[in-house]
């Protein structure tokens, strides 16, 4: 099934890992899935593919912050757990485009929007997000 949605892929992998007895992976996938289901309940809607990916990116960002804090505090075992969680959740994100491709996309968007000052940055960011969606790291675009 090559055209599975991210949510379907997460659910199928959850079942696969449960059958294989991989408790660590089951726990991590349930953790990520809980954020998706919570947002669906809060908004009372079914999340789109893009919204699901945004939720997963937020989970990874949260784990990255925890990883940084644990590393600073010298808690290597907890930092390793956070890193493992991030690595597994990243498997469900679309492949991000390279930094050189992002630079090229920003240059194209600047030309498209006829941006001349820093005040036009919002227009450029919106254009990049529209054309490249979830595959572009927007924190890299803003630089």
């Amino acid at each position: 099934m090559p055209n599975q949605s991210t949510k379907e892929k997460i659910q199928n992998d959850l079942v696969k890992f449960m059958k294989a007895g991989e408790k660590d992976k089951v726990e991590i996938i349930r953790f990520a899935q809980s954020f998706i289901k919570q947002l669906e309940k809060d908004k009372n809607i079914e999340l789109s593919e893009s919204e699901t990916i945004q939720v997963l990116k937020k989970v990874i960002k949260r784990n990255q912050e925890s990883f940084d804090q644990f590393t600073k505090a010298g808690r290597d075992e907890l930092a390793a757990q956070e890193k493992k969680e991030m690595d597994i959740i990243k498997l469900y994100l679309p492949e991000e485009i390279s930094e050189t491709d992002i630079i090229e996309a920003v240059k194209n968007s600047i030309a498209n929007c006829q941006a001349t000052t820093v005040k036009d940055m919002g227009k450029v960011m919106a254009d990049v997000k529209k054309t490249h969606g979830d595959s572009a790291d927007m924190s890299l675009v803003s630089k």
Side-chain angles (χ1 to χ4, degrees):
M1 290 186 216
N3 287 340
Q4 282 185 319
S5 74
T6 303
K7 286 191 293 187
E8 289 171 341
K9 185 168 176 12
I10 289 171
Q11 184 61 41
N12 291 341
D13 285 353
L14 177 65
V15 171
K16 181 176 78 175
F17 293 140
M18 288 172 81
K19 287 180 179 178
E22 297 184 51
K23 292 182 181 177
D24 291 350
K25 290 181 180 179
V26 168
E27 189 177 303
I28 293 166
I29 290 176
R30 279 188 175 153
F31 171 72
Q33 203 175 37
S34 71
F35 281 92
I36 294 168
K37 288 184 178 182
Q38 182 64 46
L39 191 61
E40 285 181 333
K41 280 185 178 179
D42 290 348
K43 290 187 174 184
N44 205 17
I45 58 165
E46 182 89 11
L47 291 180
S48 68
E49 183 69 11
S50 178
E51 291 169 324
T52 302
I53 290 168
Q54 292 305 316
V55 169
L56 292 177
K57 284 184 176 183
K58 285 179 185 174
V59 171
I60 289 174
K61 184 176 180 181
R62 183 177 166 273
N63 280 33
Q64 181 64 49
E65 290 167 358
S66 297
F67 174 78
D68 293 342
Q69 291 294 322
F70 289 140
T71 304
K72 285 179 187 173
R75 303 288 307 270
D76 295 334
E77 70 284 347
L78 294 173
Q81 177 64 24
E82 293 294 330
K83 178 80 171 124
K84 182 178 178 183
E85 287 180 16
M86 287 187 296
D87 291 343
I88 290 173
I89 296 170
K90 281 181 183 176
L91 296 174
Y92 300 100
L93 295 178
E95 200 171 306
E96 290 190 344
I97 57 177
S98 69
E99 188 171 346
T100 53
D101 291 341
I102 288 176
I103 292 169
E104 191 62 35
V106 170
K107 287 179 182 176
N108 290 340
S109 292
I110 289 171
N112 290 347
C113 298
Q114 299 171 343
T116 54
T117 66
V118 177
K119 291 180 181 179
D120 298 328
M121 186 173 170
K123 293 178 188 174
V124 173
M125 296 272 296
D127 190 55
V128 171
K129 188 168 184 105
K130 184 175 74 178
T131 56
H132 294 288
D134 297 321
S135 62
D137 181 358
M138 295 309 286
S139 64
L140 199 58
V141 172
S142 67
K143 293 178 183 176

